[in-house]
Amino acid sequence: MKIYNVIIIGGGQAGLSVGYFLRRSQLDYLILDNQRVAGGSWLHTWDSLKLFSPSDYSSLSGWAMPKSEEEYPTKMEFIDYLAAYEKRYAFPIQRDTEVFKVEQDNGLFNIITNKGVFYSKTLVSATGTARKPFIPKVPDPNEFSGVQMHSVNYKNATDLVHKKVLIIGGGNSGAQILAEVSKVAATKWVTISEPSFLPDAIDGRYLFNEATQKFLGKSNEENKGNFSVSLANIVMIETVKEARNRNVLNANRPFKEFYKDGVIWEDGTKEAFDAVIWCTGFRANLNHLESLNIMENDTIATINTRSIQEPNLWLVGYGNWTGFASATIYGVGKTARETVKEIVATLQVVNNSKQ
Ligand SMILES: Cc1cc2nc3c(=O)[nH]c(=O)nc-3n(C[C@H](O)[C@H](O)[C@H](O)COP(=O)(O)OP(=O)(O)OC[C@H]3O[C@@H](n4cnc5c(N)ncnc54)[C@H](O)[C@@H]3O)c2cc1C
């Protein structure tokens, strides 16, 4: 029975980042990923998606992303980079391997997959959020007879031509999908509060500088100017600016409930729609860890990336609760590096105690 020092579940940017720092250690490790090819959840985003920061700010640790054709890389350019990154560092990745559940047995993790059971002393979960699309509770969603989809299932606007579409969600996905769909369909936008647009000159690189400063425990007054930057703000990429010029970035506050043909607004007026697109974000995909009985409110308590209740388990990526900006390309390297330092220190203690 082969026992790995470390198994990483998930071969997206977070899993690869941990792999990058692990390969410098003497530890043997394996990455298990359920996709057939490189790319993680980028493989499933919509066709026209572009990153919101230039290639220099869209690089993983160790090897800069090659310059993109235009200022902002397309998702395909980023997927190609991930594939080349994997190849360059020859990470041990076993693909097409779905982890169903993880059990603890005498200090070892038993990782139960469609390709058999794997064993490891420590475990990193880096399974992202794409499999857990979040849709807020709104009365009677099943009453609505039109099409409903989450942004994770949106690919392009081909099926929406000449339709009337309600787009819900005030983040970057909502703004970008609204920009695209409004070119071919009548649209209405719903957000909980007024959307927060970044100034035109501010793109992802400023957000990431802010992230770095926060990681170092410093404030970033220099970059901020007189506005507050957050990863939740809408970056004014070209398509969103173009939509602003067409005057479609007008948001309405949430409706009261659905009815058969559409929604009923707070003032009681009914409005018909053909389709609703929920751009309302994601939650951490941790189903495979439920068997460890350490989940609380769909999450796992951590100090930085390390589980408090299960100290040989680390969670990388997911969101700010596992390190500020750790769910971004630029931010994940820092948390991956710290995670690997902790794993190496832990395994030294474990291995020494057995000598
Ligand atoms: C629309 C959109 C646009 C974005 N734009 C940007 C941007 O411009 N810049 C930026 O920095 N960030 C951006 N992000 C955020 C972020 O970079 C991504 O969400 C990123 O893909 C997260 O990487 P990850 O490795 O944590 O997760 P993922 O990419 O989801 O990788 C996780 C991997 O684990 C696999 N997996 C899941 N469960 C299992 C299981 N049980 N067994 C085995 N394998 C499993 C998945 O299939 C996947 O391959 C964007 C996100 C979205 C949704």
Side-chain angles (χ1 to χ4, degrees):
M1 164 172 129
K2 162 91 181 151
I3 299 174
Y4 289 91
N5 278 306
V6 193
I7 282 184
I8 301 167
I9 308 175
Q13 66 199 37
L16 298 187
S17 299
V18 176
Y20 172 80
F21 290 103
L22 273 174
R23 63 186 279 288
R24 296 162 150 193
S25 71
Q26 298 301 307
L27 302 173
D28 63 338
Y29 69 97
L30 177 68
I31 303 175
L32 301 174
D33 187 66
N34 58 10
Q35 304 292 308
R36 295 226 161 112
V37 291
S41 60
W42 293 98
L43 296 166
H44 306 291
T45 51
W46 62 88
D47 301 343
S48 66
L49 180 69
K50 284 187 175 179
L51 307 193
F52 54 68
S53 44
S55 43
D56 306 355
Y57 280 75
S58 304
S59 296
L60 298 178
S61 306
W63 182 46
M65 182 181 180
K67 274 252 163 294
S68 50
E69 292 230 334
E70 291 176 20
E71 186 174 17
Y72 298 102
T74 62
K75 78 161 189 178
M76 277 321 298
E77 284 175 317
F78 187 68
I79 290 170
D80 289 348
Y81 166 62
L82 280 180
Y85 188 83
E86 260 188 49
K87 214 165 159 195
R88 180 184 178 97
Y89 294 114
F91 296 116
I93 302 188
Q94 178 161 321
R95 292 213 172 276
D96 219 355
T97 304
E98 171 79 27
V99 174
F100 299 131
K101 67 174 173 175
V102 172
E103 288 170 351
Q104 250 287 9
D105 185 19
N106 279 326
L108 276 189
F109 289 107
N110 297 356
I111 297 147
I112 295 133
T113 79
N114 60 339
K115 298 281 166 72
V117 183
F118 294 80
Y119 302 92
S120 71
K121 295 178 190 167
T122 62
L123 185 66
V124 177
S125 185
T127 48
T129 58
R131 276 195 171 184
K132 275 259 173 125
F134 171 75
I135 295 185
K137 283 199 168 54
V138 173
D140 301 332
N142 298 332
E143 279 287 301
F144 179 56
S145 58
V147 173
Q148 282 191 67
M149 69 176 105
H150 188 275
S151 61
V152 75
N153 301 119
Y154 173 81
K155 297 291 168 241
N156 55 57
T158 313
D159 294 337
L160 300 170
V161 178
H162 302 317
K163 299 265 162 59
K164 187 158 175 206
V165 185
L166 185 65
I167 290 160
I168 306 174
N172 282 291
S173 300
Q176 289 180 29
I177 291 177
L178 172 71
E180 181 161 284
V181 174
S182 61
K183 283 182 156 178
V184 298
T187 51
K188 210 153 208 185
W189 192 21
V190 164
T191 63
I192 287 179
S193 52
E194 256 324 283
S196 181
F197 300 102
L198 285 172
D200 285 8
I202 303 298
D203 67 13
R205 76 193 98 183
Y206 292 89
L207 299 176
F208 293 143
N209 283 338
E210 172 87 352
T212 306
Q213 295 304 314
K214 279 204 175 149
F215 182 79
L216 297 172
K218 297 178 187 162
S219 73
N220 193 23
E221 293 307 320
E222 227 177 275
N223 278 320
K224 261 165 91 165
N226 56 2
F227 54 87
S228 151
V229 292
S230 142
L231 291 169
N233 292 151
I234 296 169
V235 182
M236 298 307 291
I237 60 168
E238 284 312 314
T239 55
V240 181
K241 278 193 223 163
E242 188 274 333
R244 181 180 60 195
N245 295 343
R246 282 187 284 118
N247 198 27
V248 293
L249 299 185
N250 306 310
N252 304 270
R253 295 296 79 77
F255 51 90
K256 204 163 61 168
E257 59 193 306
F258 281 101
Y259 77 106
K260 186 170 149 298
D261 296 325
V263 302
I264 306 175
W265 298 100
E266 277 298 337
D267 66 2
T269 1
K270 290 182 167 180
E271 187 167 358
F273 287 95
D274 299 298
V276 171
I277 308 178
W278 295 94
C279 305
T280 40
F282 299 88
R283 297 289 182 263
N285 163 25
L286 301 172
N287 293 356
H288 54 292
L289 300 178
E290 267 171 21
S291 37
L292 293 175
N293 293 322
I294 55 172
M295 309 256 303
E296 278 172 43
N297 300 327
D298 287 337
T299 188
I300 289 176
T302 56
I303 293 178
N304 301 319
T305 58
R306 190 176 197 164
S307 159
I308 294 171
Q309 286 194 62
E310 178 48 79
N312 290 341
L313 167 70
W314 285 261
L315 297 114
V316 180
Y318 300 114
N320 288 344
W321 59 282
T322 54
F324 191 75
S326 61
T328 65
I329 305 157
Y330 184 82
V332 70
K334 297 177 189 60
T335 46
R337 189 180 55 217
E338 295 308 307
T339 297
V340 169
K341 271 191 204 160
E342 289 181 6
I343 293 174
V344 170
T346 302
L347 283 167
Q348 262 162 7
V349 174
V350 171
N351 293 339
N352 286 346
S353 69
K354 290 198 175 138
Q355 277 168 12

